[in-house]
Amino acid sequence: MIVGIGVDLVDLARFERAVDRTPRLRDRLFAANELDKPLRSLAGRFAAKEALIKALGSSDGVHWLEITVTNDAQGDPRFELSGETAAVVAGRGITSLHLSMSHDAGAAVAFVIAERADPRPAPSGTGDA
């Protein structure tokens, strides 16, 4: 059952200016194993993290450095969560996160779907009559 959807779009030129203007921004937003990526890939990872927050419905308990975007054996992007962020996701009953990313024409985009394995029963009195 889908419990959240998030999308984010990042203008690559604006992202580059922000990183150039504030060099420590990279260290605040990206885990050590993400820092060696080209700027367009970092912009995509930033969009992915923003899209995840939107899919979760809030940023409460979510920390940038506890969200890492990696690639599986087929090269598809996926999230690796740790710490309080992983606990927040698990606490919301989310069992699966789907991530799609792309960059082209001066922009990076990411789309996230958050799923729960089994639908929770509706509170009594809210079902169909």
Side-chain angles (χ1 to χ4, degrees), residues 4-9 47 49-59 112:
I5 298 172
V7 66
D8 196 65
L9 178 71
K49 294 176 185 196
E50 284 282 335
L52 173 62
I53 290 169
K54 292 173 183 175
L56 295 175
S58 82
S59 62
V112 174

Side-chain angles (χ1 to χ4, degrees), residues 7 10 19 21 23 45 56 59 70 76 80 108 114:
V7 66
V10 174
V19 169
R21 199 172 45 248
R45 281 161 169 72
L56 295 175
S59 62
T70 62
D76 296 326
E80 288 185 7

Side-chain angles (χ1 to χ4, degrees), residues 8-127:
D8 196 65
L9 178 71
V10 174
D11 179 280
L12 293 175
R14 184 173 176 211
F15 183 78
E16 182 175 18
R17 285 191 305 271
V19 169
D20 287 345
R21 199 172 45 248
T22 312
R24 292 191 307 183
L25 192 59
R26 286 181 189 234
D27 293 328
R28 291 196 315 248
L29 298 175
F30 303 105
N33 63 339
E34 295 175 305
L35 291 173
D36 64 341
K37 304 290 184 201
L39 190 65
R40 68 181 184 278
S41 292
L42 289 179
R45 281 161 169 72
F46 177 79
K49 294 176 185 196
E50 284 282 335
L52 173 62
I53 290 169
K54 292 173 183 175
L56 295 175
S58 82
S59 62
D60 294 343
V62 176
H63 305 282
W64 286 92
L65 296 180
E66 295 177 349
I67 306 167
T68 304
V69 178
T70 62
N71 296 90
D72 65 16
Q74 291 76 36
D76 296 326
R78 65 183 188 90
F79 289 111
E80 288 185 7
L81 306 177
S82 61
E84 187 178 358
T85 302
V88 164
V89 170
R92 294 182 185 174
I94 296 169
T95 55
S96 184
L97 293 168
H98 305 278
L99 170 60
S100 181
M101 300 167 46
S102 185
H103 46 77
D104 190 23
V109 65
F111 186 81
V112 174
I113 298 173
E115 284 188 294
R116 184 172 47 232
D118 297 319
R120 293 183 181 169
S124 62
T126 62

